[in-house]
Amino acid sequence: METPQLSSLYQQLILEHYRSPRNKGDLPDKTVEIHMRNPSCGDEIRLQLRIEDGRIAEAKFVGSGCSISQAAVSMMTGLIKGRALDEADALAERFKEMMHGDEAAAKDRSMGDLRALAGVSKFPVRVKCALLGFDALQEALKQTAGGEEH
Ligand code: ZN
């Protein structure tokens, strides 16, 4: 599938995460694992989180697929580590806003390297690739919330 035309700086950052993904590998002491697929592109990820005291203590993934999907989950795992669950959920919501073309979200510094993916919003087919990791994250948060006593 054709790679969207993004600015070259952002393109480099995406390829750099794709070639040297952060937090890739199995997490033996995970507390939740979510497997997500994007059949339209062939992307696949298994997101593994260790949640302690309402925070994401550790986040790892294994997966395969296009550069957008793998770079997005690499960037995401780096940003969610150490965050409270509601903060991680807020990041996912912010990222979705960016994928729907929200320009303020695209400039939000709290998004870190994820801002490199802002241009993907112009390519609806690829938005699913970028969102795959965050879909897995929100599913993991949902399952975790359901399993905890309130
Ligand atoms: Zn893809």
Side-chain angles (χ1 to χ4, degrees), residues 59-75:
K60 295 195 100 173
F61 78 100
V62 284
S64 59
C66 70
S67 58
I68 305 269
S69 67
Q70 304 301 305
V73 69
S74 168
M75 293 168 179

Side-chain angles (χ1 to χ4, degrees), residues 1 38 41-43 65-69 126 128-130:
M1 201 176 278
N38 173 22
C41 181
D43 308 319
C66 70
S67 58
I68 305 269
S69 67
R126 309 308 301 275
K128 281 185 187 170
C129 304

